[in-house]
Amino acid sequence: MATGAAAMAAPSVFLLAVSGEIESGQFPGFDDLYCKFCFVYGQDWVPTAGLEEGISQITSKSDVSPTTLVWNFPIDITFKSTNPFGWPQIVLSVYGPDFFGHDVVRGYGAVHVPFTPGRHRRTIAMFVPESTSRLQQFTSWLTGRRPEFTDPKVVAQGEGREVTRVRSQGFVTISFNVMTKDLKKLGYDVTPSDLQSPSLGPGAQGLHKY
């Protein structure tokens, strides 16, 4: 009877709570930018609170920070899952005006939510898709329509990325506050590690079952 009660009391899911902010960006040569974010996660994950996506205010460089665009835009979300495979990633898309006043993408980037509880800071290298020919480059400049992804979530997925021509452009800094609940009770040890565990999905570094 006691064994059955203990089995009933054992958790079947674990929780991951993420808060923090998209702090700032550095995009030399560009100003008046805003940032969109969304979370991408595996099929076993379910958001239980907070926002999966959002859009920041437009920010400009100042005399105080002539090379940095400061957003300090909050993120706050809680997930539950039965399986760490598909650990959440945050995908960022930064936009701003071009010479003609059209809003165009200035950078895409993605990073996994850190696996270890505590406060973390990440700087993400951003990139933009490029036209594959000089004619397309000229046409996109003339019309103000630069290449961009139909769905920014593709940034967090590997399929088809190898055929996309891109170039680096800018950096975004994010701070995370991470809390987990019942992860260890389900047999997963969250410890800093330089080894990647392929059984937990792409980028599941530092999370292993014992």
Side-chain angles (χ1 to χ4, degrees):
M1 195 77 171
T3 306
M8 288 179 65
S12 59
V13 300
F14 65 86
L15 299 179
L16 171 68
V18 186
S19 61
E21 59 185 18
I22 302 169
E23 293 183 359
S24 60
Q26 292 186 318
F27 291 84
F30 301 116
D31 204 355
D32 301 324
L33 305 184
Y34 63 92
C35 183
K36 293 181 179 180
F37 78 86
C38 64
F39 284 93
V40 177
Y41 44 85
Q43 61 182 7
D44 296 320
W45 292 77
V46 178
T48 60
L51 295 176
E52 286 187 62
E53 54 186 34
I55 181 169
S56 77
Q57 75 281 9
I58 297 173
T59 191
S60 305
K61 296 172 183 174
S62 67
D63 294 336
V64 178
S65 56
T67 61
T68 305
L69 295 147
V70 179
W71 289 296
N72 289 334
F73 189 70
I75 53 175
D76 190 359
I77 192 168
T78 301
F79 295 95
K80 70 176 180 180
S81 180
T82 57
N83 184 353
F85 186 88
W87 192 273
Q89 299 180 62
I90 186 170
V91 175
L92 303 178
S93 312
V94 175
Y95 294 85
D98 65 3
F99 181 78
F100 301 103
H102 303 118
D103 267 8
V104 296
V105 67
R106 294 304 185 193
Y108 292 108
V111 69
H112 278 90
V113 171
F115 304 104
T116 54
R119 183 169 175 81
H120 307 266
R121 208 158 180 253
R122 297 285 187 269
T123 297
I124 306 167
M126 307 292 281
F127 66 88
V128 289
E130 280 210 311
S131 301
T132 54
S133 71
R134 289 187 179 275
L135 178 61
Q136 287 179 332
Q137 289 174 3
F138 177 73
T139 304
S140 65
W141 177 85
L142 196 63
T143 61
R145 295 178 181 271
R146 296 185 59 85
E148 60 180 87
F149 296 121
T150 306
D151 183 0
K153 290 183 179 180
V154 72
V155 174
Q157 300 160 359
E159 299 84 358
R161 282 285 309 280
E162 69 278 358
V163 298
T164 306
R165 185 178 176 183
V166 301
R167 63 180 167 84
S168 299
Q169 184 165 282
F171 297 89
V172 172
T173 300
I174 305 184
S175 61
F176 294 98
N177 299 303
V178 177
M179 292 187 294
T180 60
K181 183 177 185 292
D182 295 332
L183 197 56
K184 257 192 170 178
K185 289 181 182 177
L186 287 175
Y188 295 98
D189 185 20
V190 184
T191 55
S193 170
D194 293 330
L195 300 176
Q196 183 167 327
S197 176
S199 63
L200 301 180
Q205 186 174 323
L207 182 63
H208 54 88
K209 197 158 188 174
Y210 55 84

